[in-house]
Every structure is written in structure tokens, then in C-alpha cells.
Amino acid sequence: MTGSSSILEWIVAIATVVALLIAAWELRANAKISGQAHAREAWMRYLELGLQYPEYSSTEVTLKILKVPNVIRLWEKESRETLKYWWFFDCMMEACESLVNYFPEREWRNTIRYNLLLHEKALRFTWDNEKSYYSDKLNAIVTEVLGSDETPL
């Protein structure tokens, strides 16, 4: 009996380990799916804001509409409209951060680059103070954008 009891104990132990591994895998898969859903939701919120407030869709457009000569004045002029622009800009940055953290970079890289280029002047003005808040992945894309002569249009 001890031989068959020992075999059963081994089978139970192996089954337990396999069940734990499957549970761990499922938790990771669920966390990834949840993160991707959050990232898509953040991106959709950003796009909805762009439709609702097209005047903030790029730094250039905002400067022209608000009749502000440059980004420094946009920062210094504390009006409701300038604050809305900076909140819009922050929403874009958070949406980009979510995308790079939960999706393979190649899937969203061009979209992120394009949107960063639309706000290149604001990004250049704020990035030295803000970059520590963002991931290495987004930092790499921003550094690439700031180092290029590319324009969004």
C-alpha cells in the first residue's frame, strides 16, 4: 500500500504544481488583457477630447487660436483656455504611456510619434521636467521625436 500511496502523493503534488502554474499564467494573461483595455480606453478618451476640443489638437493650432506667440507664453498665461490645453496635452501623454506599457511598441509607435509631433513645441518645452514620470519606452520615442526634423503634416 505504501508504494501506491507514494505514487498518489506524487501525482497530487504534480497536479498541484501544474494547477498553480496555470493559475499564475491566467493571472498574468488577465492582467495584460486588463491593461490593454485600460490603454485602449485612455486612447479613446484622448481621441474624444480631440473631437470635442479640436483647438487643442496641436500646439500650433492652440497658439494661433489663443493668439499666444509661443509655448512659454502659453505656459505663463493662466487662463481657462491655456489650462485646458495643458490638460489636453497631459491626457495625450498618459494615453501614449498606457499604449507603450501594454502593447508591443511596433503596434502603436507611428500613431504615438504622430501625436507627439503635433505637440512637439509643448513637448520640447516641458520634457526635461516631465520625462522622469514616464517609462523608458515612451522616453525613447519622445527623444526620437525631439531629435528629428519631421513635421506631422
Side-chain angles (χ1 to χ4, degrees), residues 22-36:
I22 290 171
W25 178 82
E26 285 180 351
L27 282 172
R28 284 168 93 152
N30 287 339
K32 181 179 179 183
I33 290 167
S34 175
Q36 288 178 339

Side-chain angles (χ1 to χ4, degrees), residues 27-109:
L27 282 172
R28 284 168 93 152
N30 287 339
K32 181 179 179 183
I33 290 167
S34 175
Q36 288 178 339
H38 167 76
R40 285 184 195 276
E41 187 177 308
W43 192 255
M44 287 304 297
R45 280 193 313 265
Y46 163 64
L47 293 178
E48 288 168 0
L49 282 173
L51 291 171
Q52 188 175 1
Y53 301 102
E55 63 270 25
Y56 306 127
S57 61
S58 80
T59 308
E60 287 293 329
V61 169
T62 301
L63 292 173
K64 286 178 186 172
I65 288 174
L66 297 182
K67 295 180 173 73
V68 179
N70 56 49
V71 179
I72 295 169
R73 296 287 299 157
L74 186 65
W75 182 261
E76 292 171 345
K77 182 181 177 182
E78 290 190 21
S79 69
R80 182 178 175 149
E81 289 77 24
T82 60
L83 292 174
K84 280 184 182 180
Y85 172 76
W86 291 111
W87 279 110
F88 184 93
F89 177 78
D90 286 341
C91 286
M92 177 203 59
M93 294 304 297
E94 290 303 319
C96 291
E97 178 72 3
S98 292
L99 290 176
V100 298
N101 283 327
Y102 292 107
F103 287 95
E105 190 177 310
R106 68 185 181 283
E107 289 183 25
W108 287 90
R109 185 177 188 79

Side-chain angles (χ1 to χ4, degrees), residues 118-131:
L118 289 171
H119 298 274
E120 183 263 337
K121 286 184 177 181
L123 196 58
R124 193 171 297 284
F125 177 73
T126 62
W127 194 244
D128 282 342
N129 293 322
E130 300 291 321
K131 64 184 167 187

